[in-house]
């Protein structure tokens, strides 16, 4: 197995891993992203994300998709959007290898924080992250506004 930076040719399999994660997170129909979206958004002049892949025999066993953010308290940070390992490949160290690659990338880039979200019922992931020294916050809540919410808000406030 090798860890490497993703290429546009990987995006079909990256999308497959994303769809697997959506099913695992009990949201199998939530993904509207396409392979073309991933290619456009990840490989343009100003990419919106970066991705590492774990590959063996031309199959992507896992991915770590991340992007840069800016914290008014810390400066440049990394947001790890998804760390996904194929279900039948879990427990083989692939997730740890991808996780370590992201942490190393953060150190290379001089970021002051790497952050991600984890579902409260995903106790396996929580235990993994805590074992590595990550802090899991219970006092912060994620806030989101989807496309319908954006449209409704602007219709009411324009």
């Amino acid at each position: 197995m090798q860890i490497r930076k993703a290429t546009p040719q990987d995006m079909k399999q990256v999308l497959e891993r994303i769809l697997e994660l959506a099913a695992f997170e009990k949201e199998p129909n939530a993904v509207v992203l396409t392979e073309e979206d991933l290619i456009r958004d990840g490989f343009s002049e100003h990419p919106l994300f970066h991705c590492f892949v774990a590959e063996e025999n031309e199959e992507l066993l896992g991915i770590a998709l991340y992007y840069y953010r800016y914290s008014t308290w810390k400066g440049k940070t990394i947001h790890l959007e998804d760390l996904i390992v194929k279900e039948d490949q879990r427990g083989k160290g692939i997730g740890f290898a991808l996780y370590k690659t992201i942490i190393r990338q953060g150190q290379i880039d001089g970021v002051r924080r790497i952050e991600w979200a984890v579902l409260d019922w995903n106790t396996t992931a929580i235990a993994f992250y805590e074992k590595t020294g990550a802090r899991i916050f219970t006092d912060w809540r994620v806030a989101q506004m989807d496309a319908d919410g954006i449209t409704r808000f602007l219709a009411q406030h324009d």
Side-chain angles (χ1 to χ4, degrees):
M1 179 203 58
Q2 74 167 14
I3 305 288
R4 62 172 175 77
K5 288 187 175 184
T7 67
Q9 294 74 29
D10 294 321
M11 292 304 106
K12 180 177 191 265
Q13 288 189 71
V14 167
L15 182 57
E16 290 171 6
R17 299 297 80 78
I18 292 168
L19 292 168
E20 287 175 23
L21 179 65
F24 173 77
E25 292 183 348
K26 301 174 177 68
E27 293 281 349
N29 299 313
V31 178
V32 298
L33 192 67
T34 67
E35 179 183 351
E36 292 76 21
D37 293 331
L38 288 166
I39 292 168
R40 180 194 63 232
D41 296 340
F43 299 93
S44 63
E45 185 178 346
H46 301 288
L48 299 177
F49 70 86
H50 305 277
C51 186
F52 288 104
V53 297
E55 178 187 46
E56 188 171 75
N57 300 323
E58 299 183 12
E59 180 181 17
L60 297 191
L61 306 178
I63 70 165
L65 193 143
Y66 69 100
Y67 54 89
Y68 295 95
R69 294 174 63 175
Y70 195 82
S71 164
T72 56
W73 290 9
K74 302 294 182 186
K76 186 177 182 180
T77 68
I78 283 179
H79 181 83
L80 175 57
E81 179 65 20
D82 283 321
L83 176 63
I84 309 165
V85 175
K86 283 187 72 172
E87 188 172 3
D88 65 352
Q89 297 296 317
R90 293 182 189 149
K92 298 180 178 181
I94 297 166
F96 183 83
L98 287 163
Y99 183 71
K100 183 177 175 184
T101 300
I102 290 293
I103 294 170
R104 176 157 293 144
Q105 187 67 49
Q107 184 180 49
I108 290 166
D109 293 338
V111 302
R112 293 190 179 107
R113 180 172 68 206
I114 300 170
E115 61 189 359
W116 58 94
V118 59
L119 290 165
D120 61 359
W121 56 260
N122 193 347
T123 55
T124 304
I126 291 169
F128 168 78
Y129 294 135
E130 288 178 332
K131 183 178 172 185
T132 68
R135 293 186 305 165
I136 308 297
F137 294 98
T138 58
D139 55 343
W140 284 82
R141 299 286 187 253
V142 174
Q144 293 182 340
M145 186 178 289
D146 64 14
D148 291 336
I150 292 166
T151 301
R152 279 193 306 274
F153 176 85
L154 292 174
Q156 293 171 357
H157 299 284
D158 267 350

